[in-house]
Amino acid sequence: MDWSKTKSIFIGVFLILNVFLYSQYVNTYSEAENLELLGKSNDIEARLKEENITYDALTESIETLPYISAKVKKYSLDELPTNNNQNYRLINNHKLVVTFKAPIKLISTKQETTLNDFLRQYVYEGQSFELWEIDEEARTATFFQRFNDRVLYYNENGEVKVYWNENGEVFMYEQSMLENIEEIEQDEPILPPIQILQTLYAKNLLKPDSHITTVKLGYSTLIQETQTQVLTPTWKVRVQVADGKEEQYFVNAIEGKVIDI
């Protein structure tokens, strides 16, 4: 390993992170002041109750969570397991496309356990991914990469997409991955879930008569260069609105800013 080159990469990542965070300071401070004023003048729990905005128990609360840095994985055909039923193809060395000579029959395309079992059995490094979405109409399932049991939200360099035919048989999957994931220690506290709801309420993103089904910590991309990324702790908030449709929001867990992913 070229330690000199590795050291230079990490120094560059830290410098980029510091510059970015400093540039965000004024806006973050201003937003924090506005939220503080809202919190002092109104009880957010009471305001949500008045508008019949309900939520399940906000059980996940954590004091700190580090930033992380990662590199986009470059695949090599030599590292992939030998399998007579799979053909491998690489796109720019960053995306792996696998087709099955004999498609794999799924017990059900609607069950999370079935799709997760398929991933663990047939997908390269499948245990590193978590089911995110099933699209029955398109006959696809999308999985996001995890780090320390935290999902990397909507990272095009960290996902698996599985495709099946009208008979429920998987004939192909596509994969991209992040590797060399490292924690970047920081002392900034993680905003609690109730403050995240306060942020969304202050921006009129929570509609009356809606129900918040999920408030969960993961990561989203903060800085991206060609091969290196810095990811920040991020709250995912999933909301079921009055008409039954589902909306989701992502909030920077340190700065309290709503992220447009």
Side-chain angles (χ1 to χ4, degrees), residues 1-11:
M1 178 181 291
D2 189 339
W3 290 108
S4 178
K5 184 177 180 180
T6 301
K7 182 179 179 181
S8 298
I9 291 173
F10 277 100
I11 289 174

Side-chain angles (χ1 to χ4, degrees), residues 161-176:
K161 181 163 284 190
V162 175
Y163 301 81
W164 58 83
N165 58 27
E166 62 275 10
N167 297 319
E169 300 169 329
V170 175
F171 62 89
M172 181 179 75
Y173 75 82
E174 299 173 335
Q175 182 190 65
S176 58

Side-chain angles (χ1 to χ4, degrees), residues 69-203:
S69 65
K71 295 185 66 176
V72 178
K73 179 177 179 59
K74 289 186 177 181
Y75 291 93
S76 169
L77 293 178
D78 294 335
E79 71 179 309
L80 300 174
T82 302
N83 190 312
N84 294 329
N85 191 38
Q86 296 183 12
N87 287 325
Y88 300 116
R89 181 167 62 93
L90 298 180
I91 300 177
N92 297 326
N93 292 326
H94 298 150
K95 177 175 283 190
L96 174 65
V97 180
V98 179
T99 55
F100 295 92
K101 298 176 184 177
I104 307 299
K105 177 67 176 179
L106 297 176
I107 297 175
S108 171
T109 58
K110 300 179 180 179
Q111 294 181 356
E112 182 175 347
T113 54
T114 299
L115 290 165
N116 283 331
D117 287 344
F118 169 84
L119 213 70
R120 287 191 292 267
Q121 186 172 354
Y122 295 102
V123 174
Y124 176 70
E125 297 289 344
Q127 71 280 359
S128 300
F129 294 82
E130 178 177 308
L131 180 64
W132 180 260
E133 181 182 52
I134 301 173
D135 189 332
E136 280 290 319
E137 185 175 350
R139 296 198 288 267
T140 63
T142 302
F143 301 77
F144 288 165
Q145 192 172 350
R146 294 177 305 185
F147 174 72
N148 286 347
D149 290 328
R150 303 286 183 190
V151 176
L152 312 185
Y153 299 127
Y154 288 100
N155 193 308
E156 64 179 9
N157 295 308
E159 69 175 20
V160 169
K161 181 163 284 190
V162 175
Y163 301 81
W164 58 83
N165 58 27
E166 62 275 10
N167 297 319
E169 300 169 329
V170 175
F171 62 89
M172 181 179 75
Y173 75 82
E174 299 173 335
Q175 182 190 65
S176 58
M177 286 188 69
L178 293 173
E179 62 178 1
N180 298 335
I181 303 177
E182 301 285 348
E183 295 183 350
I184 304 175
E185 295 299 333
Q186 51 83 24
D187 297 326
E188 296 294 330
I190 296 296
L191 298 174
I194 191 63
Q195 190 167 341
I196 300 305
L197 299 188
Q198 178 175 292
T199 298
L200 296 175
Y201 180 85
K203 293 183 176 296

Side-chain angles (χ1 to χ4, degrees), residues 185-225:
E185 295 299 333
Q186 51 83 24
D187 297 326
E188 296 294 330
I190 296 296
L191 298 174
I194 191 63
Q195 190 167 341
I196 300 305
L197 299 188
Q198 178 175 292
T199 298
L200 296 175
Y201 180 85
K203 293 183 176 296
N204 297 316
L205 294 175
L206 297 180
K207 302 177 178 63
D209 303 316
S210 60
H211 178 65
I212 299 160
T213 60
T214 306
V215 183
K216 189 174 182 180
L217 270 173
Y219 282 94
S220 65
T221 302
L222 179 66
I223 303 170
Q224 179 167 353
E225 292 189 316

